[in-house]
Amino acid sequence: MADIARMAGVSISTVSRALAGNPLIPKTLRDQIVEIARTHGYVVNQSARSLRLRKTDIIGVVIPLPHQTGRLISDPFLLEMVGRLVDEIARRGYAVLVHKVIATEPGWLERIIQSQRADGLILIGQSVEHAALNAVADTYRPMVVWGAQLPGQRYCAVGGDHLEGGRLAVAHLAGLGRERIAFFGATEAPEAAQRFEGYRRGLAEAGLTFDPALVAPVSHSLQEARDDVARFIASGPSFDAVFAFSDVIALAALEALREAGRSAPGDVAVVGFDDIMLARYGAPPLTTLRQDLEHGAQTMVDLLFRRMAGEDAPSVMAPVELIVRGSSV
Amino acid sequence: MADIARMAGVSISTVSRALAGNPLIPKTLRDQIVEIARTHGYVVNQSARSLRLRKTDIIGVVIPLPHQTGRLISDPFLLEMVGRLVDEIARRGYAVLVHKVIATEPGWLERIIQSQRADGLILIGQSVEHAALNAVADTYRPMVVWGAQLPGQRYCAVGGDHLEGGRLAVAHLAGLGRERIAFFGATEAPEAAQRFEGYRRGLAEAGLTFDPALVAPVSHSLQEARDDVARFIASGPSFDAVFAFSDVIALAALEALREAGRSAPGDVAVVGFDDIMLARYGAPPLTTLRQDLEHGAQTMVDLLFRRMAGEDAPSVMAPVELIVRGSSV
DNA sequence: CTGAAAGCGCTAACAC
DNA sequence: GTGTTAGCGCTTTCAG
C-alpha cells in the first residue's frame, strides 16, 4: 500500500480511504488511485485488514463428523448442503471456510470461535452435546445450527420437522396396508430421536403396535449401512416396510433387499428422508421426506447475518414434504 | 495473550513460545502455560498470527463458474471433488476456503492470490483462459489446477486422460455394433475439446465416419441439458449411441430419451464421463469413464504442498477407466 | 532460558 | 481533504 501511495503521490491513509471508496476523497483522485492499484495488481492484504477491523468477511461452515472416522466427507446430503451454503454465502460477498472436525474431541467449537478466523459460524448437525452448544451460545452469538429444536435450547437452530416427517412416512406406509414397518438408523442424535418419535406416533395413530425387534441401528454410510441391513434381514424378523432415517440408508436398504431376493416395493416398501439428488434417480426412485435445502440454507444464512448484526434471530422449523415415488407404491 | 502472560507470571514472549511448543521453554512451564490457556479458553488469534507469519494455514479451493450464472453449485461432480479435497487438506491440518467465482470477470485470480488469504490454491477446472493461468503461474507457484494438459502449459495441472477416455467410450460403443454415435456437450473448454478429440479418433479407429450433425452442444446443468437433448432428438438425426461429456449430461440424455419413447440401451446406448455417485444408481446404471477423484484430490494436494515447499512439482495425467454398466449393454 | 522491543499491513481517530 | 500516528495481536530477533 505504501508503494501505491508513493506512486499516486499521496499518503497511505489516502490510499486506504480511496480503496475503501470513502467519499471523503474526491471521486477523481479515488478513481486514479484505484486504477494505479489495479494496474499494479495490488489488493489489500486480508490478514492485516482482519486484524485491524476484527472482521474477516468469512463465514465458517463446520462439518462435525461423528466418531473418529478420520475420513471422507462423502455423504451426499452433507455435500448438497455445503453447496447450497456456499452459494448463499457467496451471494453476500463472504467467503466460506470449511472445517471438518471430529466431534468427539472436546473444545473444538471453542477453538474455532476463539481463533477468530470467521465472523460467523454455521454448524451442520448437532452431533455435539446439546449442552455444549447451549454453553457456547450464551457468549457467542453469530452461530446457527442445522438441526432439531430441543427443549431449553438457547442456540439458534434451523431444521426440518423431523417428528412430523416420521409421522407422515408411517401414515403413508400404513395407508398402503403395510403393518410390519421397520425403522432403520441410529436413534441417539436429536434429529434421529425426533424422526424415531414420529415413527412411533405414526404407528400409534395407525393402530399398529410398536415392535422393538423392527428397530435396527444402521450406520449412516452407504457401504456400512448395506451390511447392517443385510445382517438385519438375515436375522429373521418379518417386515413389509421400512422407514429409513436418511435417503442414504434407504438406498442401502434397497440394495440389501435386492441382494436378499426381496422386491421393493412389492415385498418391502421403502421411505427415506432428505430427498437428495440420488433419491430421484434410483431404481426404483425413492419415496422420501423432502427437506428444502435451498430454502434451509437461505434461512440459516439469513438468520446468521441478522445475528451478526446484533439482532436476536429465532430458531426456525421448516416443513417437510412427503414425495411419493416408486419405492413405496 | 497478555492476560495469559500476567496469569502465568511470565512475559508475552514466553507465552507465545510455550503455546508454540518451543523447547526453549522448560517442559513444566510450558505445560503450565498451555493449561492456563486451555482453562481460560484462550486460542491464538489467527489474523494476527497470519499477518506476522505471512502464512494462513488455509488452502483456497476455487470453483470457477462459467458465464454469469450467479447460481448454484449443484453439480455433483464438483461437490464430490470439493468433499475429497476437504478431506485431503484437513488431513494435513489446513482449513479450506471455498471461493465461488464468475470466471468471466477478469482479474479474479490475481485478486484471490493478492489478498493472501490462502497459502496455496487449487482451481477446479480450466474454464479460465489458459493464457491467464500461464501468466499467473510464472510468478505464483503454489497453485494446482484440475484440468487438461495443454501444449506450452506452465502451470501445474492434474486431470484424467480425456482423450483416451473419449477413445475408449467410442471403441466400446462401436464394439457393440453401434454406428451412429452422437457426442453431447460443449467442445470449447480444454477438457471437453480433448474428450471430443478422443471421440473423433475413436470413430476413425472403428472405421466410422464423423458426422457433424451428431454433435450437439448441450448445457452442463441437468435441467437445461435435458431440454437440449430433447430438442436434438426432435430435430431428427438418427443415432443409436451417445457419448456424453459428463455423467450429468448422460443422465439428462437418459431422461430425454425415455420421454421421447426411446429405450436405453435398446434404441440408444449411453456412455458418460466421471463416474459420479449418481451414475451407479440410475435406471439403467450408467456406463462411464471413471476418474478416481480420491486419487485425483490426493495428487493435487500432494503436488500443492510440494510446490508450497518450493519444489517444482510436475503436472500429472491420471488414467481413466471404462466402467461398463446397463446403459450401454 | 527469558524479556523488551520491533514490526507484519492495515484503518481510523485526531490533528492540520 | 489529507497526513501523522497509534495500535490490532502476534512472533522473533536481540540482549541479557
Side-chain angles (χ1 to χ4, degrees):
Chain A
M1 192 176 265
D3 297 347
I4 304 297
R6 206 173 317 113
M7 292 166 156
V10 296
S11 76
I12 297 180
S13 352
T14 303
V15 174
S16 175
R17 290 188 183 109
L19 260 29
N22 188 323
L24 273 175
I25 312 290
K27 179 113 179 58
T28 40
L29 177 54
R30 235 191 299 158
D31 291 347
Q32 206 173 311
I33 293 176
V34 168
E35 180 57 20
I36 294 177
R38 209 186 51 70
T39 57
H40 291 264
Y42 170 80
V43 174
V44 180
N45 177 318
Q46 292 298 320
S47 294
R49 184 168 205 274
S50 299
L51 175 58
R52 179 63 231 240
L53 257 36
R54 311 163 145 282
K55 172 166 175 25
T56 57
D57 293 332
I58 289 175
I59 300 297
V61 169
V62 183
I63 304 177
L65 296 184
H67 322 303
Q68 58 283 47
T69 61
R71 297 197 291 112
L72 316 165
I73 302 182
S74 54
D75 189 284
F77 176 78
L78 231 46
L79 289 177
E80 282 188 42
M81 179 60 103
V82 171
R84 298 293 187 183
L85 286 172
V86 169
D87 284 328
E88 205 54 45
I89 293 168
R91 274 196 335 109
R92 289 174 159 82
Y94 278 65
V96 176
L97 189 63
V98 179
H99 294 262
K100 202 181 84 164
V101 300
I102 313 300
T104 45
E105 293 177 359
W108 60 264
L109 183 52
E110 288 80 357
R111 237 171 292 137
I112 289 176
I113 292 173
Q114 287 301 324
S115 72
Q116 297 172 62
R117 280 219 269 222
D119 297 339
L121 241 39
I122 290 181
L123 309 194
I124 306 183
Q126 281 158 316
S127 32
V128 207
E129 299 291 311
H130 175 59
L133 287 178
N134 258 344
V136 164
D138 290 335
T139 57
Y140 185 71
R141 309 301 304 159
M143 177 175 82
V144 174
V145 179
W146 174 259
Q149 316 232 1
L150 262 26
Q153 174 173 297
R154 298 195 298 280
Y155 54 92
C156 176
V158 175
D161 190 340
H162 307 292
L163 197 140
E164 177 66 6
R167 264 198 59 242
L168 286 172
V170 174
H172 168 65
L173 291 168
L176 296 167
R178 308 285 172 159
E179 299 187 334
R180 301 277 299 160
I181 304 173
F183 180 89
F184 287 176
T187 53
E188 300 87 41
E191 297 100 318
Q194 294 189 358
R195 290 180 197 176
F196 181 64
E197 177 60 23
Y199 160 78
R200 296 199 56 168
R201 285 214 204 158
L203 288 179
E205 288 172 12
L208 298 171
T209 50
F210 168 66
D211 180 355
L214 292 182
V215 177
V218 165
S219 159
H220 282 21
S221 94
L222 195 50
Q223 283 76 18
E224 291 175 43
R226 190 175 43 211
D227 297 344
D228 291 341
V229 172
R231 261 192 299 279
F232 175 79
I233 294 174
S235 75
S238 86
F239 62 106
D240 57 12
V242 169
F243 169 46
F245 166 76
S246 70
D247 285 348
V248 169
I249 292 178
L251 289 168
L254 286 175
E255 277 197 73
L257 285 166
R258 193 177 313 127
E259 283 163 15
R262 311 227 192 147
S263 72
D267 297 331
V268 179
V270 176
V271 176
F273 210 111
D274 292 338
D275 196 23
I276 59 179
M277 288 182 73
L278 276 167
R280 189 191 316 262
Y281 290 94
L286 198 57
T287 293
T288 190
L289 285 135
R290 175 170 172 68
Q291 307 205 68
D292 187 339
L293 283 198
E294 183 172 357
H295 185 259
Q298 217 166 298
T299 306
M300 282 198 281
V301 174
D302 195 53
L303 293 177
L304 181 61
F305 276 81
R306 281 161 62 185
R307 292 180 82 89
M308 280 162 50
E311 289 179 55
D312 198 26
S315 289
V316 170
M317 185 158 70
V320 297
E321 183 191 357
L322 179 72
I323 309 282
V324 178
R325 300 205 185 92
S327 70
S328 68
V329 292
Chain B
M1 192 176 263
D3 297 347
I4 304 297
R6 206 172 319 110
M7 292 167 153
V10 296
S11 75
I12 297 180
S13 341
T14 303
V15 174
S16 175
R17 290 188 182 109
L19 260 29
N22 188 325
L24 275 175
I25 312 290
K27 179 118 180 54
T28 39
L29 178 54
R30 236 191 299 158
D31 291 347
Q32 206 173 310
I33 294 176
V34 168
E35 179 58 19
I36 294 177
R38 209 186 52 69
T39 57
H40 291 262
Y42 170 82
V43 174
V44 178
N45 177 319
Q46 291 299 321
S47 295
R49 184 169 206 274
S50 299
L51 176 58
R52 178 63 231 238
L53 257 35
R54 312 162 142 281
K55 171 163 175 29
T56 58
D57 293 333
I58 288 176
I59 300 298
V61 169
V62 183
I63 305 177
L65 296 183
H67 321 303
Q68 58 283 50
T69 60
R71 297 192 293 114
L72 316 167
I73 302 182
S74 54
D75 189 285
F77 176 78
L78 232 45
L79 290 177
E80 282 189 42
M81 179 60 103
V82 171
R84 298 293 187 182
L85 287 172
V86 169
D87 284 330
E88 206 54 45
I89 293 169
R91 274 197 335 111
R92 289 175 160 81
Y94 278 64
V96 176
L97 190 62
V98 180
H99 294 263
K100 201 180 86 165
V101 300
I102 313 299
T104 46
E105 294 177 357
W108 60 263
L109 182 52
E110 287 80 357
R111 238 170 291 136
I112 290 177
I113 293 172
Q114 288 301 323
S115 72
Q116 296 170 62
R117 281 219 269 221
D119 297 339
L121 240 40
I122 291 181
L123 308 195
I124 307 183
Q126 280 157 317
S127 32
V128 207
E129 298 292 310
H130 175 59
L133 287 179
N134 257 344
V136 164
D138 290 336
T139 58
Y140 185 72
R141 308 301 303 159
M143 177 175 82
V144 174
V145 179
W146 174 257
Q149 315 233 1
L150 263 26
Q153 174 173 295
R154 297 195 299 279
Y155 53 92
C156 176
V158 175
D161 190 339
H162 307 292
L163 197 139
E164 177 67 7
R167 265 198 59 243
L168 287 172
V170 174
H172 168 65
L173 290 168
L176 297 167
R178 308 285 171 158
E179 299 187 334
R180 301 276 299 158
I181 305 174
F183 180 88
F184 287 176
T187 53
E188 300 88 42
E191 297 100 319
Q194 294 189 358
R195 290 180 198 176
F196 180 64
E197 177 60 23
Y199 160 79
R200 295 199 56 168
R201 285 213 203 160
L203 288 179
E205 288 172 12
L208 299 171
T209 50
F210 167 65
D211 180 356
L214 291 182
V215 177
V218 165
S219 160
H220 281 23
S221 95
L222 195 50
Q223 283 76 18
E224 292 175 43
R226 191 175 42 211
D227 298 344
D228 292 340
V229 173
R231 262 191 298 279
F232 175 79
I233 294 174
S235 75
S238 85
F239 63 107
D240 56 13
V242 169
F243 168 47
F245 167 75
S246 70
D247 285 348
V248 169
I249 291 179
L251 289 168
L254 286 176
E255 276 196 74
L257 285 167
R258 193 178 313 127
E259 282 162 16
R262 310 227 192 147
S263 71
D267 297 331
V268 179
V270 176
V271 176
F273 209 110
D274 291 339
D275 197 22
I276 60 178
M277 287 183 73
L278 276 167
R280 188 191 317 261
Y281 290 93
L286 198 58
T287 294
T288 190
L289 285 135
R290 174 169 172 69
Q291 306 206 70
D292 187 338
L293 282 198
E294 182 172 357
H295 186 258
Q298 215 166 297
T299 306
M300 281 197 282
V301 174
D302 195 53
L303 292 177
L304 180 61
F305 276 81
R306 280 162 61 185
R307 292 179 83 89
M308 281 161 52
E311 290 180 54
D312 197 28
S315 289
V316 170
M317 185 157 71
V320 298
E321 183 191 358
L322 178 72
I323 309 281
V324 178
R325 299 205 184 93
S327 70
S328 68
V329 294

